[in-house]
């Protein structure tokens, strides 16, 4: 698990109004969020340690004006419990935007916050009026997330035999999950 990397492209956005606990609210990135972003991404195992996450953040997001427009947080009072952004990517040999760093604190999972966050970030992106479709990179490590991405209109991108094999494997694993529910 986790070695089959794939791309998905948002072709036909399926907007959905999702009920969620109103104790949560949204905030765009402010400097006060840096440390909380780092802690959350380490907590969900996206980085091995604090130093690695901080280095990545500083090299990618710090002092970049787009950070303030493209990075969104779900807050519980003053605590960051989820984050997602859209950020530049070069998987298509040109600068395009991709969904990036989707994470929800495990203590707050199962409350539909990831899906609400996903919709909010897609709306932010759409409001910018960018003509290229949003995309994302994921892997077979994120099967539940792939189910969610598909539910809002992301489609598998198959460009070669490796992509085809990876998606066949992922789709079989997703079917197993669906049958077990």
């Amino acid at each position: 698990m986790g070695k089959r990397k794939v791309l998905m492209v948002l072709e036909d956005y399926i907007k959905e109004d999702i009920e969620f606990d109103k104790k949560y609210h949204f905030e765009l990135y402010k400097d006060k969020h840096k440390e909380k972003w780092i802690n959350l991404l380490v907590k969900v195992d996206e980085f091995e340690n604090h130093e690695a996450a901080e280095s990545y953040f500083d090299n990618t997001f710090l002092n970049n004006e787009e950070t303030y427009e493209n990075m969104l947080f779900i807050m519980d009072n003053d605590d960051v419990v989820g984050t997602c952004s859209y950020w530049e990517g070069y998987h298509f040999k040109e600068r395009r935007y991709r969904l990036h760093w989707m994470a929800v604190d495990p203590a707050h999972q199962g409350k539909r916050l990831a899906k609400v966050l996903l919709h909010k970030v897609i709306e932010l992106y759409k409001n910018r009026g960018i003509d290229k479709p949003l995309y994302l990179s994921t892997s077979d490590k994120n099967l539940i997330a792939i189910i969610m991405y598909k539910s809002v209109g992301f489609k598998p991108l198959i460009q070669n035999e490796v992509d085809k094999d990876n998606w066949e494997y992922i789709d079989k694993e997703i079917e197993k999950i669906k049958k077990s529910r």
Side-chain angles (χ1 to χ4, degrees), residues 9 12 14-15 23 27 34 36 38-39 45 49 55 83 91 96-97 100-101 104 106 111 118 129 153 166 173 181:
V9 177
D12 298 309
I14 303 166
K15 187 173 180 173
K23 79 174 189 168
E27 291 182 12
K34 175 185 171 183
K36 294 174 183 185
I38 291 167
N39 291 337
D45 295 326
N49 56 48
S55 175
T83 185
H91 289 91
R96 297 217 0 219
Y97 285 94
H100 207 38
W101 296 116
V104 173
K111 300 176 182 178
L118 177 60
N166 287 346
E173 293 301 306
R181 288 183 171 177

Side-chain angles (χ1 to χ4, degrees), residues 108-136:
H108 295 268
Q109 291 177 3
K111 300 176 182 178
R112 305 195 66 181
L113 297 178
K115 195 160 189 182
V116 172
L117 187 57
L118 177 60
H119 280 286
K120 290 280 190 191
V121 170
I122 291 170
E123 290 298 319
L124 281 175
Y125 179 78
K126 291 176 82 52
N127 290 339
R128 292 261 318 258
I130 300 167
D131 63 344
K132 304 261 189 218
L134 190 63
Y135 78 99
L136 63 86

Side-chain angles (χ1 to χ4, degrees), residues 118-173:
L118 177 60
H119 280 286
K120 290 280 190 191
V121 170
I122 291 170
E123 290 298 319
L124 281 175
Y125 179 78
K126 291 176 82 52
N127 290 339
R128 292 261 318 258
I130 300 167
D131 63 344
K132 304 261 189 218
L134 190 63
Y135 78 99
L136 63 86
S137 172
T138 190
S139 75
D140 62 326
K141 177 178 119 177
N142 301 309
L143 296 173
I144 300 301
I146 291 171
I147 293 168
M148 178 182 66
Y149 298 143
K150 286 182 172 187
S151 77
V152 301
F154 279 94
K155 306 282 188 225
L157 181 64
I158 300 172
Q159 298 176 303
N160 54 48
E161 285 299 313
V162 172
D163 292 343
K164 182 180 176 206
D165 291 345
N166 287 346
W167 276 111
E168 285 176 1
Y169 174 84
I170 288 168
D171 287 339
K172 285 179 187 172
E173 293 301 306

Side-chain angles (χ1 to χ4, degrees), residues 8-9 13 21 23-24 26 29-30 33-34 37 43 45 66 69 71 77 79 90 92 102 115 120 131 141 153 163 175:
M8 300 180 81
V9 177
Y13 176 46
D21 191 331
K23 79 174 189 168
Y24 299 104
F26 296 94
Y29 178 79
K30 297 176 185 99
H33 293 119
K34 175 185 171 183
W37 183 92
K43 188 175 193 175
D45 295 326
E66 284 193 333
E69 300 170 3
M71 188 179 286
N77 294 313
D79 296 325
Y90 294 91
F92 296 94
M102 167 72 81
K115 195 160 189 182
K120 290 280 190 191
D131 63 344
K141 177 178 119 177
D163 292 343
E175 281 305 310

Side-chain angles (χ1 to χ4, degrees), residues 40-61:
L40 176 60
L41 274 288
V42 170
K43 188 175 193 175
V44 298
D45 295 326
E46 288 292 338
F47 291 96
E48 189 173 315
N49 56 48
H50 187 277
E51 294 74 27
E54 184 172 32
S55 175
Y56 182 90
F57 189 96
D58 289 349
N59 290 327
T60 305
F61 301 124

